[in-house]
Amino acid sequence: ADGARRSPVSNVGGRTETFSAWVQDTWSFAPGWKTVLGLRYEDWKATDGLSATASSVQSHAGRSESDLSPKAALAYQLSADTVLKASLGRAVRFPTVGELYGATSGGALSFVNDPSLRPEKSWTGELSAEKDLGSGLARATLFHETTRDALYNQLVAGTTVSRVQNVDKVRTTGVELAYAGENVLIKGMDLGASLTYADSKTVANAAFPASVGKWQPRVPRWRSTVYATYRPDARWAFTVAARYSGRQY
């Protein structure tokens, strides 16, 4: 249908680009011992950032950053059916176009982002034990993660404006139990289950002090999964599964 031409209320956008390179090596340096060492390089750029309304246009300066993310893992064959593993790694997540430049408004609230957001940086460590039960593999894992400058959407203190902001420090500690088996009880029956407990809290947040000591958003305390798959032949598979997630904030 034809209609009168209208002017846009706002126009936002931009571009991000990431170039990365990864190197990894596995080294069996002694009987029963194996290590994996890796290093990831990332070069990130943000360009063409734009925030425009019907009466004004604001261009955002381009940005460029690079970072290194190392990883190390160590495994020890404790016995013929048991392996112990330890790992430590760093991860960097650069902000997306939407997080840098997105903006909307409606009613009493508005969403205006910050083109100067810093990348999110995390260190994660794990200790695990795996045991071969014959028809399946059981695993127990203890994990810990510390994230600085975590990217979360929250209200700007004292305003009705929300935006993605850098949360100074978030810390998570937990444990996971998991099992996966093939041909359990009868041929063609695969079973699996996992149970995860995570204690995840905001440790420091200068932009929103009221959140300090509170639960990290979208990370439930308990999660679990159970599934069963039956394959009567090579062409058919029947699966039933159930998932549980505790309260998320």
Side-chain angles (χ1 to χ4, degrees):
D2 294 331
R5 184 175 180 179
R6 298 180 181 274
S7 299
V9 175
S10 65
N11 181 28
V12 296
R15 294 171 58 90
T16 60
E17 179 182 87
T18 303
F19 170 82
S20 61
W22 169 261
V23 60
Q24 181 173 295
D25 185 44
T26 301
W27 179 30
S28 297
F29 59 90
W33 290 88
K34 183 171 70 175
T35 185
V36 177
L37 302 175
L39 183 66
R40 181 183 181 90
Y41 168 79
E42 293 177 283
D43 183 77
W44 173 84
K45 295 180 181 179
T47 57
D48 301 330
L50 175 72
S51 298
T53 65
S55 59
S56 65
V57 177
Q58 181 181 5
S59 297
H60 303 293
R63 295 173 54 192
S64 177
E65 296 187 36
S66 60
D67 220 315
L68 293 171
S69 301
K71 171 188 175 181
L74 181 67
Y76 174 60
Q77 191 75 41
L78 181 65
S79 63
D81 60 2
T82 304
V83 179
L84 304 180
K85 297 181 179 181
S87 64
L88 179 66
R90 183 177 189 257
V92 178
R93 186 176 83 79
F94 293 97
T96 65
V97 169
E99 290 169 334
L100 289 169
Y101 308 122
T104 59
S105 62
L109 297 176
S110 59
F111 178 78
V112 181
N113 268 334
D114 180 3
S116 64
L117 286 171
R118 298 180 298 277
E120 179 179 287
K121 300 179 180 181
S122 302
W123 279 98
T124 302
E126 292 186 356
L127 294 172
S128 66
E130 294 183 355
K131 186 174 180 61
D132 188 343
L133 302 177
S135 61
L137 185 69
R139 175 175 53 84
T141 302
L142 177 67
F143 59 88
H144 178 84
E145 181 178 81
T146 298
T147 301
R148 296 185 182 277
D149 290 327
L151 295 167
Y152 279 107
N153 182 26
Q154 58 187 13
L155 282 174
V156 178
T159 73
T160 59
V161 175
S162 68
R163 64 171 39 139
V164 175
Q165 301 178 54
N166 288 113
V167 176
D168 298 289
K169 186 177 181 180
V170 177
R171 187 166 55 213
T172 303
T173 300
V175 62
E176 182 178 64
L177 304 176
Y179 169 81
E182 297 180 352
N183 299 316
V184 181
L185 301 177
I186 60 174
K187 184 178 180 180
M189 178 67 74
D190 298 343
L191 299 178
S194 67
L195 176 65
T196 304
Y197 170 81
D199 181 85
S200 186
K201 300 289 180 62
T202 299
V203 178
N205 188 2
F208 190 32
S211 69
V212 175
K214 301 298 194 302
W215 218 253
Q216 182 182 172
R218 301 187 299 279
V219 179
R221 183 176 297 183
W222 290 99
R223 287 177 294 173
S224 64
T225 301
V226 178
Y227 72 87
T229 298
Y230 177 61
R231 296 182 174 84
D233 55 40
R235 298 179 59 188
W236 290 91
F238 301 91
T239 299
V240 59
R243 294 183 176 90
Y244 169 79
S245 175
R247 180 180 296 178
Q248 299 183 32
Y249 297 93

